[in-house]
Each structure stands twice: as C-alpha cells, then as structure tokens.
C-alpha cells in the first residue's frame, strides 16, 4: 500500500504562484508514475499533469500547459507541481496520484493510489 501526502496549497492572488508537493511512502518510488488531478466545486475531477517513471516524461492538461511544471526527486520520494500565472479557474482541490510501471494515462480510473488532496484558492 502506498500513501501519498500533498502539501503546499493555500490562498493566492491571480497571477501568483504556488508549489505543491506530494510525498509517497513507496519503497520503489522511482518505479511509479506520479500525477496530479484537480476537482473544482460542482465539477468532475480533471487531469492536471503527470510524470513518467522511466524517462521522466511530463504531460499536462490543456488548461495548464505553459503555466504549470511537474518534476520529481526520487531521492526524496517527492514530486513538485510548480504553478505559475494562476487564475481563478485554477481554484480546486488538487489530488496526487500514483500507479506502478504503467503507461501514463490521463484517465482517473487508471491511477491506483490517491492522496487526500490540498486546497488551492486563487482569489483577490
């Protein structure tokens, strides 16, 4: 069983930045695809970003391309989601997800492990 813990959420003004972190309890962290999804009130959970276990390739949802950047530090069992140029529509609960050695997928059901989420609010 892998436990994921998100941190770094909070309140930020439009145009500002936040960095989310997700730390995993997995012993073989380097073998996991890591991803982020988000869910705004009244909306379905949507794919934000993912990073592959093999080559570290990164993937982004269309709404965050060019503004968000995902990276991983295998020595710390942690991934970082740098969020820049934040907009009000980025307001949501952000969830970290993990799956072991599978092709990266943007579909929620393909991810096995989930964190509890961290709230990001973009408002003036």
């Amino acid at each position: 069983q892998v436990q994921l813990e998100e941190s770094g959420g909070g309140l930020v003004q439009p145009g500002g930045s936040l960095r989310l972190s997700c730390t995993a309890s997995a012993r073989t962290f380097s073998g996991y695809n890591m991803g982020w999804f988000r869910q705004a009130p009244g909306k379905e959970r949507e794919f934000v970003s993912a990073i592959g276990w093999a080559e570290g390739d990164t993937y982004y949802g269309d709404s965050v391309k060019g503004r968000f950047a995902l990276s991983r530090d295998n020595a710390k069992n942690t991934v970082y989601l740098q969020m820049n140029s934040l907009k009000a529509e980025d307001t949501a609960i952000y969830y970290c997800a993990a799956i072991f050695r599978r092709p990266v997928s943007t579909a929620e059901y393909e991810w096995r492990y989930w964190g509890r989420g961290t709230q990001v609010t973009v408002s003036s």
Side-chain angles (χ1 to χ4, degrees):
Q1 187 74 9
V2 175
Q3 293 184 334
L4 305 176
E5 184 172 357
E6 304 98 336
S7 62
L11 174 64
V12 63
Q13 293 186 342
S17 298
L18 278 177
R19 189 178 79 159
L20 303 184
S21 300
C22 173
T23 301
S25 64
R27 289 186 298 174
T28 54
F29 176 77
S30 61
Y32 283 82
N33 294 331
M34 300 297 296
W36 288 91
F37 289 74
R38 68 186 182 186
Q39 188 167 21
K43 295 187 177 181
E44 294 184 353
R45 195 173 297 189
E46 68 168 338
F47 172 78
V48 174
S49 182
I51 186 165
W53 70 274
E55 303 293 333
D57 292 347
T58 52
Y59 306 81
Y60 299 95
D62 289 341
S63 61
V64 306
K65 282 181 182 177
R67 301 188 297 121
F68 290 13
L70 183 59
S71 60
R72 66 189 301 158
D73 185 338
N74 289 337
K76 295 183 178 179
N77 280 24
T78 300
V79 293
Y80 304 99
L81 182 66
Q82 179 66 42
M83 306 187 297
N84 300 324
S85 302
L86 284 162
K87 306 174 183 179
E89 49 264 45
D90 294 317
T91 295
I93 299 174
Y94 284 70
Y95 297 91
C96 180
I99 184 69
F100 188 70
R101 293 194 177 184
R102 296 286 299 276
V104 172
S105 172
T106 61
E108 181 181 351
Y109 66 85
E110 295 281 5
W111 296 79
R112 180 170 182 182
Y113 302 105
W114 292 85
R116 293 184 177 182
T118 185
Q119 176 71 47
V120 171
T121 302
V122 184
S123 175
S124 55

